[in-house]
Amino acid sequence: MKNDVKNQFLLDPDVTFLNHGSFGACPKPVFEDYQHWQKKLEQQPVLFSTETVYEQLRQSRTALGDFVGCHEQDLVFFQNPTTAVSNIIFSLELKPGDEILMSNHEYGALVRAWSKWGRRQQVKIVQQEVKLPVTTRENFTDNFWAGVTQRTKVIFLSQITSATALEFPVQSLCELAREKGILTIIDGAHVPGQMDLNLNELDCDFYTGACHKWLCAPKGTSFLYVKKEHQPWVRPLIYSWGKDGDDPGPSEFLQDFQWQGTRDMAAFLTLPKVIQFFQEHIEGKRLSCKKLIRKTSAELARLFNTPPIYASADWIHQMVSHPLPVNAPEDIKERLWSAYKIEIPVFQWCGQRYIRVSCNVYNTDQQVEYFLNALRSLI
Ligand SMILES: Cc1ncc(COP(=O)(O)O)c(C=O)c1O
């Protein structure tokens, strides 16, 4: 893969960085824009925080709304998806015995958030097992939907999973849930930038995405989409000035969520620049990244002599998780780092160890070859 954009990133050139999925990586022009907003705040803290920021937030919501296919007034910014989803969890008013249905591939921190809340509310958290390898979309949907009961009130599902890096077909489940009056909360932490997203078409009730992962925004740029009809009953975890403050926001929903006490909102304000950079330098190269990931996946299967966790490669995008063989050293992650300076996640999931490879525009065929050779010498 030819690579002109690599030196636009701040990444340490001595490191082979194959872990974009964890926290993303921010390009220099975007980082400069981030610092520009921080400086602007410090030049006139009062004017900025009581007036300027609101128009800039509106521009950021507009840029993001155009990008993810929804109205800007249906979006609010958060630092991360955990906080965004927690605001929904704690707004729900369910009865003891009601059920939340999710897969067993959900992000651990959020499973924990649901479970802590569920225990207090006596709401049952049901984790439907999605067996590997995943086969067809239809099988997935039928198997997941089999977990729905009369008591299911909410479906919580990742659109791209964290540990297994698979794209779940959430659209068909949102349709089924709508017919049954079940709320849908979609965790799209890995989606914006990695695959196209149109929230109007998806028509879920709630959606969260992280922009600091695959859109390459500065850290702490995430959003929550709330369908209009739910905005009156969704409550922020933190109440601040809201409609009694400076925020001229067009709805109480925006006023309540936007101002959460004094904080640095510079990262949110970079979104017009983030999207511009993405469209100019990243979007057109995603296909090459996907091809490199598919090639890597096939190489890992050959090297480890273990099959992929999917039946066809259209379940993955720019990340792949592959099961490690039993003979892989315990400290393989540490050795990849200390001997080769390769940054890559290795973790245990459902009783099996996995290695997860991410590929973005700054990664090259040579880096992947270097990584595979390192594995060959360690296995
Ligand atoms: C699928 C998924 N959901 C949610 C999150 C939450 O991210 P954070 O810890 O930044 O809130 C992540 C983070 O990687 C994730 O992969």
Side-chain angles (χ1 to χ4, degrees):
M1 212 160 84
K2 197 164 160 279
N3 208 320
D4 307 321
V5 76
K6 186 173 180 166
N7 52 17
Q8 299 242 36
F9 282 80
L10 286 154
L11 291 164
D12 182 344
D14 294 335
V15 173
T16 300
F17 193 73
L18 296 172
N19 189 5
H20 190 91
S22 284
F23 300 103
C26 186
K28 289 173 198 167
V30 170
F31 200 75
E32 280 158 16
D33 194 53
Y34 176 44
Q35 292 178 319
H36 155 79
W37 290 115
Q38 289 183 315
K39 280 184 195 148
K40 245 185 132 49
L41 162 65
E42 292 307 334
Q43 280 158 5
Q44 229 302 18
V46 177
L47 183 68
F48 190 88
S49 303
T50 56
E51 288 185 30
T52 318
V53 74
Y54 295 113
E55 171 54 21
Q56 296 307 324
L57 282 168
R58 193 190 60 74
Q59 288 188 23
S60 279
R61 289 198 312 272
T62 302
L64 183 62
D66 289 347
F67 187 74
V68 299
C70 73
H71 196 282
E72 53 96 5
Q73 290 174 16
D74 300 336
L75 290 171
V76 280
F77 293 121
F78 283 96
Q79 282 193 315
N80 52 65
T82 305
T83 318
V85 174
S86 294
N87 278 269
I88 304 305
I89 297 178
F90 285 90
S91 294
L92 292 169
E93 288 185 10
L94 300 187
K95 294 196 202 67
D98 284 344
E99 294 176 3
I100 311 290
L101 179 65
M102 60 183 71
S103 81
N104 63 327
H105 293 233
E106 300 313 317
Y107 188 65
L110 281 165
V111 176
R112 188 163 183 268
W114 279 109
S115 305
K116 288 268 173 192
W117 168 85
R119 219 165 295 145
R120 285 180 73 150
Q121 305 294 318
Q122 295 171 274
V123 169
K124 195 169 159 199
I125 309 301
V126 180
Q127 286 190 276
Q128 187 74 349
E129 187 184 358
V130 174
K131 288 210 172 74
L132 298 177
V134 282
T135 54
T136 63
R137 306 275 178 302
E138 292 71 26
N139 270 349
F140 174 92
T141 306
D142 291 348
N143 169 59
F144 184 79
W145 192 252
V148 170
T149 72
Q150 291 303 326
R151 294 178 152 183
T152 306
K153 295 292 182 284
V154 174
I155 284 177
F156 172 67
L157 199 58
S158 292
Q159 189 166 11
I160 295 181
T161 59
S162 173
T164 45
L166 299 166
E167 185 206 330
F168 283 170
V170 293
Q171 175 113 30
S172 49
L173 284 162
C174 287
E175 278 166 31
L176 289 168
R178 217 174 307 125
E179 284 164 20
K180 265 210 138 206
I182 299 171
L183 289 177
T184 44
I185 306 176
I186 304 300
D187 177 353
H190 283 281
V191 171
Q194 195 178 173
M195 59 178 276
D196 293 340
L197 174 62
N198 187 319
L199 287 168
N200 282 333
E201 278 174 19
L202 182 58
D203 203 13
C204 57
D205 295 295
F206 304 94
Y207 192 100
T208 185
C211 302
H212 49 245
K213 288 187 190 277
W214 297 91
L215 257 184
C216 301
K219 307 292 168 278
T221 318
S222 300
F223 68 89
L224 176 69
Y225 158 85
V226 178
K227 203 187 230 180
K228 269 267 180 305
E229 67 197 69
H230 304 307
Q231 292 173 11
W233 63 263
V234 169
R235 295 185 303 261
L237 282 174
I238 295 163
Y239 272 106
S240 181
W241 286 102
K243 66 181 168 51
D244 298 329
D246 301 308
D247 186 350
S251 67
E252 207 163 331
F253 165 71
L254 278 176
Q255 290 166 328
D256 269 350
F257 279 95
Q258 240 170 206
W259 187 260
Q260 306 237 311
T262 309
R263 59 178 169 154
D264 183 357
M265 300 213 240
F268 307 152
L269 307 188
T270 62
L271 275 167
K273 182 75 190 176
V274 165
I275 291 165
Q276 184 201 348
F277 185 92
F278 174 81
Q279 289 170 335
E280 284 174 9
H281 300 282
I282 301 179
E283 195 168 27
K285 300 192 177 89
R286 282 191 302 185
L287 195 55
S288 317
C289 295
K290 271 173 90 154
K291 283 187 184 155
L292 186 53
I293 273 296
R294 288 176 181 203
K295 193 173 131 199
T296 310
S297 176
E299 289 293 337
L300 290 175
R302 238 189 310 277
L303 175 61
F304 296 152
N305 204 17
T306 50
I309 58 171
Y310 53 79
S312 62
D314 53 4
W315 284 88
I316 59 168
H317 290 268
Q318 288 173 238
M319 287 196 296
V320 68
S321 275
H322 200 93
L324 280 175
V326 278
N327 62 331
E330 277 293 305
D331 57 350
I332 189 163
K333 177 181 159 55
E334 290 70 26
R335 285 164 74 172
L336 284 167
W337 174 250
S338 57
Y340 301 95
K341 281 230 167 190
I342 295 172
E343 165 58 54
I344 193 150
V346 175
F347 51 87
Q348 187 90 13
W349 184 81
C350 284
Q352 164 70 50
R353 272 193 312 156
Y354 289 85
I355 190 159
R356 190 184 72 186
V357 190
S358 295
C359 176
N360 211 338
V361 284
Y362 50 77
N363 294 120
T364 59
D365 296 276
Q366 290 77 8
Q367 285 184 318
V368 168
E369 208 38 57
Y370 175 69
F371 161 64
L372 292 168
N373 281 333
L375 283 179
R376 281 181 194 113
S377 67
L378 289 173
I379 299 281

